[in-house]
């Protein structure tokens, strides 16, 4: 009788296996399309970062702003974006991940339009503030959405998509600078900034394609809608049902209505040991991503190359295009490797490589740029390109992957927002102080400081970042409840653990 049961059970299994390759292929395409469309907001951030590095040269000529105003104009976007990131967590819990992305695009588009037509520094700053709020929403929500909709086996690669699009936006910004630099000074920077509105058109189209996050739908007790989405993002109905069961447990479905925003912030401000480790890892890696100086390198690359001996504006902008191309190329390397070799090895390669390049750049700008020596110029370009390449291989994309996957569902949106705030504040402080610090201790001395911080990042990765490759979001949550060597390495055997028991223990 048992043998008859096995035979009967095997028939549909064999039939399912025959359909599996076709279903897997269509599922991958669907999930990838969702990740691409969800990442379009990141183009806005990247474009703004890239285009401002060149536009600021012509804004100075046209509006006659001083060095302090230049620092404020460049850096305020990162500082003000923390408001969007903070509000983004609560907003995405209230209206959903999908419509939060739409709201981010509308706010940024409004700010970009105001900047393009600004008649004065004051109006330009107003547009910059709105653009910053929109970017704050966008950088916080895209990785969260992609992590919640992706299967575990491909989550690292897919969650890195926003970083790809940030780099693509930076490259497009650099190209825009070079392409429009020949226009009159009172026109070219306006065209450069105005072109940033175009991606919003594609974001509007994306809203008709992508579904809502299944995990958010479960939190709203919309289980059938969540099941429908999971059936599209998983290879089989069985996988979809298993994942739905895990999500329901993690969401605490029976008590979902009682878990208010105040309780979320109470848990974040007075965390349990497991949540504390999540916060240290998530917020720490976000801060290290910025205080190692990547935004200074990108925003002020013309200033760096001018210090190295390049004088012509056209040559300066052409050199920045090389930086943007390098940054975009190497993010593709990270996408290929992140789910194969893991998050932590890439972080090691990234932080060690960045430390070496930043140290080399400091030495070059301090000792090898006298009288515009060709060797100094070439080494400066090589070190800057090397720094952004190593950043794109690890610290750039892995940072967003980690912060979107380590927090439990009930805290994910707000905790990710908190991490994004740390990133934006750090970015703003670096961008708003780079010129002043460089004037005080030289540009070379500033990069020596960045090299020292990057070396500290190596130690942080070793002591505070576990490996999350190949684990479901619910398994990663369990992993952070262990405080030993196994937690650091991410090598816990999770298969035998009782998910429900652990969540209830919380």
């Amino acid at each position: 009788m048992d043998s008859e049961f096995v035979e009967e059970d095997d028939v549909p299994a064999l039939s399912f296996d025959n359909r599996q390759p076709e279903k897997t292929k269509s599922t991958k395409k669907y999930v990838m399309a969702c990740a691409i469309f969800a990442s379009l907001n990141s183009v806005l951030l990247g474009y703004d970062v890239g285009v401002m590095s060149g536009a600021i040269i012509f804004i100075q000529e046209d509006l006659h702003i001083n060095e302090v105003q230049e620092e404020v104009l460049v850096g305020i976007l990162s500082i003000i974006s923390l408001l969007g990131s903070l509000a983004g967590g609560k907003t995405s819990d209230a209206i959903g991940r999908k419509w939060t992305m739409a709201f981010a695009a509308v706010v940024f588009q409004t700010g970009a339009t105001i900047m393009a037509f600004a008649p004065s520094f004051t109006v330009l700053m107003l547009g910059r503030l709105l653009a910053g709020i929109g970017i704050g929403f966008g950088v916080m929500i895209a990785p969260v959405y992609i992590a919640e909709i992706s299967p575990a086996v491909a989550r690292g690669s897919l969650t890195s998509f926003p970083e790809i699009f940030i780099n693509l936006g930076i490259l497009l910004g650099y190209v825009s600078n070079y392409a429009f630099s020949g226009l009159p000074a009172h026109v070219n920077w306006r065209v450069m900034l105005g072109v940033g509105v175009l991606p919003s058109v594609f974001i509007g189209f994306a809203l008709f394609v992508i579904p809502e996050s299944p995990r958010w739908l479960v939190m709203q007790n919309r289980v059938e809608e969540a099941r429908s989405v999971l059936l599209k993002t998983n290879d089989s109905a069985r996988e979809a049902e298993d994942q739905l069961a895990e999500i329901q447990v993690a969401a605490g479905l029976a008590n979902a209505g009682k878990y208010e925003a105040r309780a979320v912030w109470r848990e974040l401000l007075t965390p349990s040991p497991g949540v504390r480790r999540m916060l240290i890892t998530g917020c720490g890696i976000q801060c290290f991503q910025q205080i190692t100086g990547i935004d200074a390198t990108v925003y002020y690359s013309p200033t760096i190359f001018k210090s190295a001996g390049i004088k012509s504006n056209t040559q300066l902008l052409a050199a920045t295009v090389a930086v943007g191309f390098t940054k975009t190329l190497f993010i593709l390397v990270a996408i290929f490797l992140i789910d194969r070799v893991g998050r932590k090895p890439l972080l090691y390669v990234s932080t060690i490589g960045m430390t070496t390049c930043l140290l080399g750049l400091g030495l070059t700008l301090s000792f090898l740029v006298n009288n515009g020596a060709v060797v100094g110029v070439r080494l400066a370009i090589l070190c800057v390109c090397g720094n952004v390449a190593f950043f794109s291989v690890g610290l750039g994309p892995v940072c967003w992957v980690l912060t979107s996957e380590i927090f439990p569902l009930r805290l994910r949106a707000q905790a990710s927002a908190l991490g994004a705030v740390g990133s934006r504040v750090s970015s703003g402080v670096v961008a708003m102080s780079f010129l002043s610090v460089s004037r005080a201790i030289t540009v070379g001395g500033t990069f020596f400081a960045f090299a020292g911080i990057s070396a500290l990042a190596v130690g942080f990765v070793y002591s505070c970042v576990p490996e999350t490759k190949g684990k479901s979001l619910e398994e990663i949550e369990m992993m952070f409840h262990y405080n030993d060597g196994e937690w650091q390495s991410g090598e816990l055997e999770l298969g035998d653990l009782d998910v429900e028991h652990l969540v209830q223990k919380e």
Side-chain angles (χ1 to χ4, degrees):
M1 189 171 184
D2 289 341
S3 63
E4 290 178 0
F5 174 79
V6 172
E7 288 173 2
E8 289 175 1
D9 189 56
D10 283 346
V11 172
L14 290 172
S15 176
F16 173 78
D17 287 339
N18 291 333
R19 299 193 305 268
Q20 189 73 9
E22 184 179 348
K23 169 66 175 173
T24 299
K25 188 175 181 180
S26 62
T27 297
K28 286 181 178 178
K29 287 182 179 179
Y30 181 75
V31 174
M32 182 171 290
C34 291
I36 290 172
F37 284 126
S39 302
L40 288 177
N41 264 322
S42 300
V43 175
L44 303 177
L45 170 60
Y47 184 83
D48 184 270
V49 171
V51 80
M52 188 54 71
S53 69
I56 194 68
I57 298 173
F58 306 105
I59 292 173
Q60 286 176 313
E61 294 179 19
D62 187 28
L63 300 184
H64 307 290
I65 64 175
N66 57 41
E67 187 178 273
V68 174
Q69 289 175 316
E70 178 184 351
E71 285 184 319
V72 172
L73 181 63
V74 170
I76 196 63
L77 182 137
S78 293
I79 295 293
I80 203 67
S81 65
L82 69 89
L83 298 178
S85 293
L86 277 174
K90 189 172 183 179
T91 303
S92 68
D93 280 344
I95 67 174
R97 305 342 186 188
K98 174 179 173 178
W99 293 108
T100 301
M101 289 187 283
F103 181 71
V106 170
V107 175
F108 178 88
Q109 187 176 33
T110 304
T113 303
I114 292 174
M115 286 193 291
F117 292 98
S120 65
F121 176 76
T122 302
V123 178
L124 185 63
M125 282 295 297
L126 175 63
R128 193 80 171 147
L129 293 176
L130 285 174
I133 293 173
I135 283 175
F137 276 98
V139 299
M140 171 263 151
I141 194 58
V144 171
Y145 173 84
I146 297 172
E148 291 186 347
I149 204 169
S150 303
V153 69
R155 190 179 58 248
S157 298
L158 294 173
T159 310
S160 300
F161 273 32
E163 186 67 19
I164 293 180
F165 280 77
I166 287 175
N167 284 279
L168 178 61
I170 290 173
L171 177 59
L172 292 175
Y174 284 155
V175 171
S176 177
N177 290 337
Y178 186 75
F180 299 119
S181 60
L183 297 175
H186 68 283
V187 173
N188 55 12
W189 66 268
R190 299 179 188 278
V191 177
M192 294 172 185
L193 297 179
V195 170
V197 173
L198 296 179
S200 299
V201 177
F202 296 100
I203 294 172
F205 171 74
L207 296 177
F208 295 97
V209 177
I210 63 176
E212 184 53 84
S213 160
R215 287 171 169 84
W216 182 81
L217 290 171
V218 170
M219 290 183 70
Q220 305 303 310
N221 293 340
R222 293 157 63 178
V223 177
E224 289 304 315
E225 292 178 60
R227 178 179 286 109
S228 176
V229 175
L230 290 170
L231 287 171
K232 296 178 182 179
T233 60
N234 285 273
D235 292 333
S236 69
R238 184 180 304 169
E239 289 180 9
E241 290 299 330
D242 290 344
Q243 190 173 8
L244 180 61
E246 283 189 358
I247 294 171
Q248 286 178 299
V249 171
L253 188 58
N255 298 315
K258 301 177 183 178
Y259 208 83
E260 300 176 351
R262 284 180 294 178
V264 172
W265 283 111
R266 189 181 307 119
E267 184 168 359
L268 290 175
L269 295 175
T270 57
S272 64
V275 173
R276 185 180 301 113
R277 282 191 287 274
M278 295 174 191
L279 290 170
I280 291 172
T281 299
C283 295
I285 200 69
Q286 287 272 18
C287 290
F288 272 113
Q289 185 197 51
Q290 296 300 329
I291 62 177
T292 48
I294 188 62
D295 273 5
T297 304
V298 175
Y299 273 126
Y300 296 108
S301 50
T303 301
I304 297 168
F305 293 139
K306 187 178 290 186
S307 299
I310 300 177
K311 303 301 181 185
S312 164
N313 281 347
T314 302
Q315 290 179 333
L316 286 173
L317 296 178
T320 62
V321 172
V323 175
F325 180 79
T326 302
K327 201 169 187 296
T328 303
L329 178 65
F330 277 86
I331 188 66
L332 299 178
V333 176
I335 300 310
F336 179 77
L337 295 176
I338 193 168
D339 283 319
R340 289 172 171 81
V341 303
R343 284 62 158 154
K344 201 162 184 175
L346 289 183
L347 285 175
Y348 279 134
V349 170
S350 178
T351 51
I352 293 171
M354 287 174 62
T355 302
T356 303
C357 291
L358 289 167
L359 182 61
L361 183 58
L363 291 170
T364 298
L365 295 177
S366 298
F367 303 110
L368 297 176
V369 295
N370 294 329
N371 301 318
V374 175
V375 65
V377 172
R378 290 178 177 174
L379 280 175
I381 294 175
L382 179 63
C383 288
V384 170
C385 288
N387 181 53
V388 299
F390 280 113
F391 177 86
S392 293
V393 163
L395 196 55
V398 174
C399 166
W400 296 106
V401 172
L402 280 174
T403 53
S404 64
E405 66 186 5
I406 62 176
F407 296 106
L409 178 57
R410 66 187 181 280
L411 306 177
R412 187 170 298 137
Q414 304 284 35
S416 295
L418 200 59
V421 166
S423 172
R424 294 296 88 204
V425 170
S426 301
S427 171
V429 169
V430 169
M432 293 179 71
S433 62
F434 178 79
L435 294 177
S436 300
V437 173
S438 296
R439 188 172 60 250
I441 64 174
T442 75
V443 177
T446 304
F447 281 98
F448 283 133
F450 286 142
I453 295 171
S454 184
L456 293 177
V458 180
F460 178 84
V461 170
Y462 173 77
S463 59
C464 296
V465 178
E467 182 56 72
T468 59
K469 181 188 73 170
K471 297 177 175 64
S472 73
L473 298 179
E474 288 69 34
E475 288 174 335
I476 294 169
E477 176 185 352
M478 292 191 292
M479 184 170 61
F480 273 87
H481 290 271
Y482 291 81
N483 187 20
D484 51 29
E486 289 181 324
W487 171 80
Q488 279 190 352
S489 65
E491 295 175 354
L492 285 170
E493 293 294 332
L494 297 170
D496 297 330
L497 293 177
D498 186 340
V499 181
E500 186 170 4
H501 173 74
L502 185 56
V503 173
Q504 288 175 348
K505 185 179 177 181
E506 279 282 294

